Amino acid sequence: MTARPLAILGGTFDPVHHGHLRAAWEAAEQLDAEVRLVPAHVPPHRPAPLADAAHRVALLRAALAGQDRLGLDTRELDRQGPSYTVDTLAALRAEIGPTRPLVLLVGTDAFAHLPSWHRWRELFELAHIGVLTRPGSAPTLHWDLATEVARRRAHALRGPAGDVIDIAITPLDIAATAIRDAFASGREPRYLLPAVFFEDETLLAPYRPAG
């Protein structure tokens, strides 16, 4: 019997919002997978998070409470240096063994920039890549990535690693940047974030204006 896939969704989660959570949930349903959210310590491709690691973990724990389909993995926060995805996948592969399917979940824009990632070709040796697609989102791929995709495209996971599959998700146009900007201008971005965040004043403190 084939082991249930393990999938990971990385990011700064600064803060985690319904767009992240819904994408992870739909991927878990479609793949019948265990999905873990993996907050980055030092993201290689974007500015440092506004909230520190402890606050982002607290937000994720609050958001994920009450369900058992999505989990939290803090290994990148526990590791020094840049949070390279290839290192995370290598560590997970060593833990789960060579046969369990492992899936890296990425959005279409992030996937289009995959050739800029650290040791990006090794990602396919360690995991499948599940591209979270929305209607009308089809960015142009660099030729070397397009070549890889052409020979790896699949409609379902085959074996432990190496495929590229599309996972259609509900289009929720929510951005953490816009949420942080809303707080900074004194607005309250309710219904973009889990309601539980607004029940504990400490959870959103890093995003609210001082004073």
Side-chain angles (χ1 to χ4, degrees):
M1 181 176 178
T2 303
R4 188 169 173 233
L6 170 63
I8 65 166
L9 177 65
T12 53
F13 303 115
D14 187 34
V16 63
H17 54 66
H18 285 312
H20 299 131
L21 298 167
R22 187 62 201 171
W25 187 269
E26 292 185 2
E29 289 186 324
Q30 292 183 47
L31 298 175
D32 188 24
E34 172 194 354
V35 174
R36 299 180 191 174
L37 278 66
V38 185
H41 172 54
V42 181
H45 299 287
R46 62 180 64 189
L50 177 62
D52 63 22
H55 267 102
R56 290 183 289 130
V57 167
L59 287 166
L60 281 159
R61 291 195 191 284
L64 298 174
Q67 55 79 47
D68 57 8
R69 185 178 287 274
L70 307 180
L72 172 63
D73 190 318
T74 62
R75 73 184 60 234
E76 291 189 357
L77 299 177
D78 302 330
R79 191 171 70 221
Q80 296 301 308
S83 300
Y84 291 128
T85 299
V86 67
D87 294 333
T88 300
L89 292 177
L92 285 166
R93 176 54 71 196
E95 290 175 14
I96 68 175
T99 60
R100 184 179 179 185
L102 180 60
V103 185
L104 171 64
L105 302 173
V106 295
T108 52
D109 290 341
F111 182 65
H113 291 92
L114 205 68
S116 69
W117 292 26
H118 184 58
R119 292 159 45 201
W120 71 276
R121 293 184 188 277
E122 294 179 37
L123 300 175
F124 298 105
E125 300 171 14
L126 296 164
H128 303 293
I129 298 184
V131 184
L132 304 171
T133 64
R134 297 174 173 83
S137 61
T140 301
L141 303 182
H142 193 272
W143 69 268
D144 48 358
L145 178 56
T147 300
E148 287 287 348
V149 171
R151 67 190 186 89
R152 297 181 182 278
R153 179 74 70 187
H155 297 293
L157 302 180
R158 303 170 299 183
D163 291 335
V164 175
I165 64 169
D166 288 336
I167 302 171
I169 60 171
T170 302
L172 298 178
D173 190 13
I174 304 173
T177 301
I179 290 171
R180 294 194 299 271
D181 289 347
F183 277 120
S185 64
R187 292 179 286 124
E188 195 86 331
R190 286 180 181 263
Y191 308 112
L192 301 179
L193 300 166
V196 67
F197 291 0
F198 296 92
E199 297 170 6
D200 182 346
E201 288 296 317
T202 65
L203 287 175
L204 294 172
Y207 307 106
R208 298 186 187 280

